[in-house]
Amino acid sequence: MTADMDAGTRRVYLVLLLAPLVLLAGLYLFPLSRVLWLSVTVPTPGFGNFERLLTSSAIHNVIWTTVRICVLTTTLALLIGYAIAYAALHLRGWRGELLLFFVLLSFWLSVLIRAFAWLTLLQSRGVINTWLMGAGIIDAPLPLIRNEFGVVLGMVHYMIPYAALPLYANMKGIDPRLVPAARGLGAGPVQAFLKVYLPMSLPGLISAGILTFIFSLGFYVTPALLGGGKTIMIAEYIAAQINDTLNWGLGSMLATALLLVIFALLAVMSLFVDLRKVFGVK
Amino acid sequence: MSASIRLEHVTKSYGGYLAIDDVSLEIGAGQFVTLLGPSGSGKTTLLMTIAGFVRPTRGRVLAGERDITDEPPERREFGMVFQGYALFPNMTVAENLAFPLKLRGVPSAAIQQEVRRMLDVVHLPGLGGRYPRELSGGQQQRVALARALIFNPKVLLLDESLSALDKKLRAELQEELRDLHGRLGTTFVFVTHDQEEALSMSDEIVIVNRGRIVQRGAPKALYDRPDTRFVADFLGRANFIEGAATSLSDREVSYSAGGLSLRHGLPAAGAAPQPGQPVLLGLRPEKLRLASEAPGGQANAVPAEITLVTYEGADYHIRATTPLGSMQAIVASTGGGTSPARGDKVWLSWDQDAAVVLRDDR
């Protein structure tokens, strides 16, 4: 606010600022604090729920599945996203733009629609299995869903734009003459990529990695549909605690733990990269 | 060990567009050759073809007797200084310089020594620990130069390397480049659109326009004897006189232009314009003399009215309207007498052999 603003104008601005703050507090901070509160009060006050985190083998299984899937998803999404971003930047003229358009197109589609589309393709009597059996390549349908394969496939597909777009933005800032310069100095194409381009795109890889990993951790729809209740990630597990077994204490404890893990991850990452850049504030 | 470069009928087309149109060129080992042309003329594409970043559609590139047309840039052992320098921003100056040596498996003690020596050569001792962004433009330029030279390349290619620097720094680096060239004996191929830079630095200038070589030669020869209107106009300043030849006698042609009868002494060799044919002559502004009264004798003279005087310290740049159109003249400011002023009615004169017959390629 500028100094020459009179008191009346200032008040108007403050009121305008107040509205979103009240909204944030009411719709976001209050429920969040309720979750935190529930996690240490239900069914009995104390840290009993958090103890389960250490002792329950069911929870350990879910956590392990979640971490495994998230690491796999992030790695694959980064690899594919990197290739797409690189190609989009280096293809001549409209071809690169077309590629980006397709990335954005899948970005705009609802996650639910995409999960159902994968179901249609992958289920036992789905497009792929029917075709493969019709062609006589296989006798029995391949198990493409209700397992980790299906979950990872659906999640990677969803995450590719989140990986490709920050990488694209980062690569756009790399001087296109650096690789030729390295080549001219005696580096082969692979060496030039590994020693010059890859280090230059590392900040983009880290940003994209954080984004996809954190999004993957809380993923619900895709694992629920493509995992078919067999491959259970933490978000689905939390939903089950609250909706089915009505175990609010355990559910809110897991939600709290997930939140804390994400904050911890961000704190660690902030040591290496400027988080304001990752989330586009700067 | 420097190498000669030979281009044989090199053509590069992008779709239907000919960036290089059947160019043959030989650059002698140890020469300082400048490719000069306006932007979009194809000079950079030509350089990139020599470097190996552009693959010719047709034709061959040879280094010495070796055909390198299909050889990737990293195997050619040519140093290259890019426009904008292309220093690796994630490496220090020393790491930038060490990069080509590490690739060649030089032991690290030798690398350190070589880096220090090279930093001295380009007058940047002690700056090895800095990152490129911490250096001024001139310093970055020197680092790029050092990095391109540290592995003793056979040829050094420079793409508009000095264009981004201010005038004084540019003059300084031009001198350093020539000095380096003299000491190293490496073949230098320099690309620029700056004609003054080309004139002052090169052993030979190759003028490129529309993907073709228009004319090549030593700077002075090119400046004094341009073949075409384009070359006369692009290299230095020129007045153009368009007229018609009226008679030809003993290596002297008479022609009429702007209602005046003028004479031009032809050089011993070359074709002579035939009577009745149109002629185009180019005349350097510094070949014109200024007089307050009509000069007698053999020289050509036209009456003129001065429209603009620009004082440039050592000389005056004068623009005047004449029966031949607007003309520019450069006269020394040290001659004494009254200084020329706007509105002065004067005579411009020039010797019969001062002009050059040009081919009109416009």
Side-chain angles (χ1 to χ4, degrees), chain B residues 198-241:
Chain B
L199 284 172
S200 68
M201 294 176 73
S202 350
D203 294 329
E204 190 176 10
I205 298 175
V206 177
I207 296 187
V208 183
N209 192 31
R210 295 184 194 142
R212 286 174 159 274
I213 293 176
V214 184
Q215 194 180 352
R216 57 180 299 191
K220 186 163 165 48
L222 270 187
Y223 185 81
D224 289 343
R225 296 272 150 218
D227 281 346
T228 66
R229 181 196 280 265
F230 174 81
V231 175
D233 196 30
F234 192 69
L235 201 66
R237 303 156 190 255
N239 295 300
F240 294 105
I241 306 168

Side-chain angles (χ1 to χ4, degrees), chain A residues 264-282:
Chain A
L265 274 178
L266 285 175
V268 172
M269 288 303 183
S270 72
L271 299 176
F272 303 106
V273 288
D274 189 345
L275 287 182
R276 279 174 298 183
K277 264 187 196 158
V278 174
F279 294 104
V281 183
K282 204 170 162 186

Side-chain angles (χ1 to χ4, degrees), chain A residues 92 175 177-189 191-192 195-196 199-200, chain B residues 53 72-74 78 82-84 86-91 99-100 103-104 147-148 151:
Chain A
R92 238 178 250 276
D175 185 344
R177 284 173 292 225
L178 291 180
V179 167
R183 298 284 304 273
L185 294 169
Q191 274 174 316
K195 292 192 169 168
V196 174
M200 292 300 296
Chain B
F53 296 114
E74 63 269 20
F78 295 172
F82 285 80
Q83 197 174 10
L87 297 175
F88 304 131
N90 55 330
M91 300 183 197
F99 187 83
L103 288 169
R104 286 164 178 78
R147 188 180 66 176
F151 59 100

Side-chain angles (χ1 to χ4, degrees), chain A residues 115-212:
Chain A
F116 279 122
W118 280 117
L119 273 181
T120 340
L121 281 174
L122 301 176
Q123 62 189 326
S124 299
R125 274 170 296 169
V127 177
I128 291 176
N129 274 320
T130 312
W131 184 81
L132 284 176
M133 286 201 288
I137 299 170
I138 51 171
D139 300 327
L142 293 173
L144 299 175
I145 48 163
R146 291 192 188 81
N147 55 22
E148 256 179 68
F149 174 82
V151 174
V152 170
L153 187 67
M155 280 177 66
V156 167
H157 179 231
Y158 187 81
M159 287 302 171
I160 282 172
Y162 290 95
L165 296 176
L167 278 167
Y168 181 79
N170 164 263
M171 286 177 185
K172 229 178 161 165
I174 300 177
D175 185 344
R177 284 173 292 225
L178 291 180
V179 167
R183 298 284 304 273
L185 294 169
V190 176
Q191 274 174 316
F193 174 78
L194 291 179
K195 292 192 169 168
V196 174
Y197 203 86
L198 193 60
M200 292 300 296
S201 56
L202 203 58
L205 270 174
I206 293 175
S207 302
I210 299 173
L211 274 179
T212 42

Side-chain angles (χ1 to χ4, degrees), chain B residues 162-214:
Chain B
L162 307 179
S163 306
L165 304 173
D166 65 67
K167 204 170 175 183
K168 204 173 158 202
L169 195 57
R170 197 158 68 205
E172 207 176 299
L173 273 156
Q174 283 173 7
E175 244 175 72
E176 277 177 36
L177 261 184
R178 282 165 66 196
D179 179 52
L180 264 177
H181 176 251
R183 273 191 291 159
L184 301 172
T186 310
T187 313
F188 278 34
V189 184
F190 187 82
V191 157
T192 187
H193 64 270
D194 182 335
Q195 41 107 357
E196 279 176 45
E197 200 163 87
L199 284 172
S200 68
M201 294 176 73
S202 350
D203 294 329
E204 190 176 10
I205 298 175
V206 177
I207 296 187
V208 183
N209 192 31
R210 295 184 194 142
R212 286 174 159 274
I213 293 176
V214 184

Side-chain angles (χ1 to χ4, degrees), chain B residues 119-147:
Chain B
L119 283 174
D120 284 341
V121 169
V122 295
H123 309 297
L124 293 174
L127 290 189
R130 300 268 192 95
Y131 281 92
R133 62 172 177 277
E134 298 167 336
L135 302 179
S136 69
Q139 289 171 325
Q140 291 186 23
Q141 172 65 76
R142 289 196 175 95
V143 174
L145 200 58
R147 188 180 66 176

